[in-house]
Amino acid sequence: WRLLGAEPGGCSRDGLTLSVVAGLICLFEFALVGRKTRWFRTRRRILGVPVGSAKAWMAAHIWLGLLAVPLVFLHSGFQFGGPLTTALAWIFALVIASGAAGLVLQNVLPRLITDAVPEETIYSQIETVGRQFAADAVRLTRRYAGPGPLGWWDDFEQPEQPGRRDGADLVVVGAPRRVGTIITPTPHGDLEQPLAIDAPELHAALRERIVGFLTTGRAESADFSSVARMRWYFDDLRRRVVREAAPAIDQLEALCLQRRQLERQRVLHVVLHCWLSIHLPLSVVMIWLLIAHVFGALMYA
């Protein structure tokens, strides 16, 4: 190209060859959507032809996607061209950028979750585990401060039916199980009797702050907006109740801190997967623009 004094472009033989290769790469990249569906995810052969594992496809998806960048630049002659090619170039750049961001997130966030959420559980069971925590908190409070006002905690005495909530059928990923509970076990838990302690502050704290936070993971007041504020709240609660109820407060605080970790896991999990909701629609738009670009080039070039 330098000897001919001409810039590369789609109208030249070499530029056309690069465009065909780049276009085939883009189609292969988009084929990963079908490869990762439940019909093809575990298959090594399709119609008798070996296609490789999904892991190999992902590696090829990453490296061929990066290879397409210089091919597209050389094919374009480092110019945007008309409105259609300009739109296609920008969408292509956004697809590459979102894919690179997803690659970084997939390599960084899992380690961050492991370090920041040592008590992580199965993502689909975070709400179930939170309700278990709330039920444990109710049992603790009833043991140390009596049954409390009539009807306050009746909902937490009913075992939750797997796969159902609020009368609606739901799909539960993974077998339901009790995980993460840190209540100190006793030899005869079903026969526990409330201690003779007058601690109405425990029931008030449970109703105003703790149960709602353990169930939903959302801080409905400033007291639970950070770890430091949460510790201040429980320190103040210790000062307001009798000394015999201190073990209950220690375990309630531990439950809330663990629930806070699970909520952090939820946020990081959403961030880990939200990039795909940007990358995939942009890829669909890019494929349609690519088809329009090829059609226009063949018809009008």
Side-chain angles (χ1 to χ4, degrees), residues 63-294:
W63 291 108
L64 290 177
L66 294 175
L67 175 61
V69 175
L71 298 183
V72 169
F73 274 116
L74 292 172
H75 165 69
S76 66
F78 307 102
Q79 297 178 3
F80 281 106
L84 177 59
T85 55
T86 299
L88 177 58
W90 279 110
I91 292 296
F92 175 78
L94 291 175
V95 168
I96 295 297
S98 60
L103 180 62
V104 172
L105 291 176
Q106 293 285 342
N107 283 275
V108 172
L109 282 186
R111 290 196 296 269
L112 182 60
I113 292 176
T114 301
D115 295 338
V117 189
E119 301 291 344
E120 74 172 301
T121 186
I122 301 173
Y123 175 78
S124 62
Q125 293 189 13
I126 288 179
E127 291 185 6
T128 301
V129 174
R131 187 171 178 84
Q132 291 174 7
F133 287 172
D136 288 341
V138 168
R139 183 173 70 84
L140 267 172
T141 303
R142 281 184 163 176
R143 171 160 173 73
Y144 280 88
L150 185 64
W152 270 19
W153 316 122
D154 292 346
D155 291 344
F156 293 95
E157 297 299 316
Q158 302 297 327
E160 188 175 358
Q161 296 297 324
R164 296 183 63 87
R165 187 176 291 111
D166 297 332
D169 291 334
L170 297 177
V171 177
V172 177
V173 180
R177 58 178 181 162
R178 290 189 61 84
V179 295
T181 180
I182 57 174
I183 299 288
T184 302
T186 57
H188 305 288
D190 295 338
L191 303 178
E192 285 182 345
Q193 297 296 323
L195 303 178
I197 299 175
D198 183 19
E201 297 86 357
L202 279 181
H203 282 291
L206 212 65
R207 184 176 179 85
E208 295 171 4
R209 298 283 189 276
I210 299 174
V211 163
F213 178 76
L214 292 177
T215 304
T216 65
R218 293 188 294 271
E220 299 179 355
S221 69
D223 293 328
F224 282 11
S225 60
S226 67
V227 174
R229 287 180 176 273
M230 186 180 295
R231 293 190 184 279
W232 295 340
Y233 174 82
F234 283 103
D235 287 343
D236 178 69
L237 186 60
R238 288 187 187 90
R239 289 191 291 267
R240 291 189 286 110
V241 301
V242 294
R243 182 177 303 175
E244 291 78 4
I249 298 176
D250 294 341
Q251 294 190 61
L252 289 173
E253 181 180 6
L255 284 172
C256 290
L257 290 173
Q258 189 169 345
R259 185 64 177 90
R260 184 177 179 84
Q261 286 190 27
L262 296 184
E263 192 61 22
R264 183 180 301 173
Q265 176 189 348
R266 184 203 301 275
V267 173
L268 292 176
H269 185 276
V270 171
V271 174
L272 180 62
H273 294 85
C274 70
W275 69 273
L276 191 59
S277 63
I278 299 174
H279 184 66
L280 183 57
L282 287 174
S283 300
V284 174
V285 174
M286 185 190 71
I287 293 298
W288 281 109
L289 289 177
L290 178 61
I291 294 173
H293 174 65
V294 172

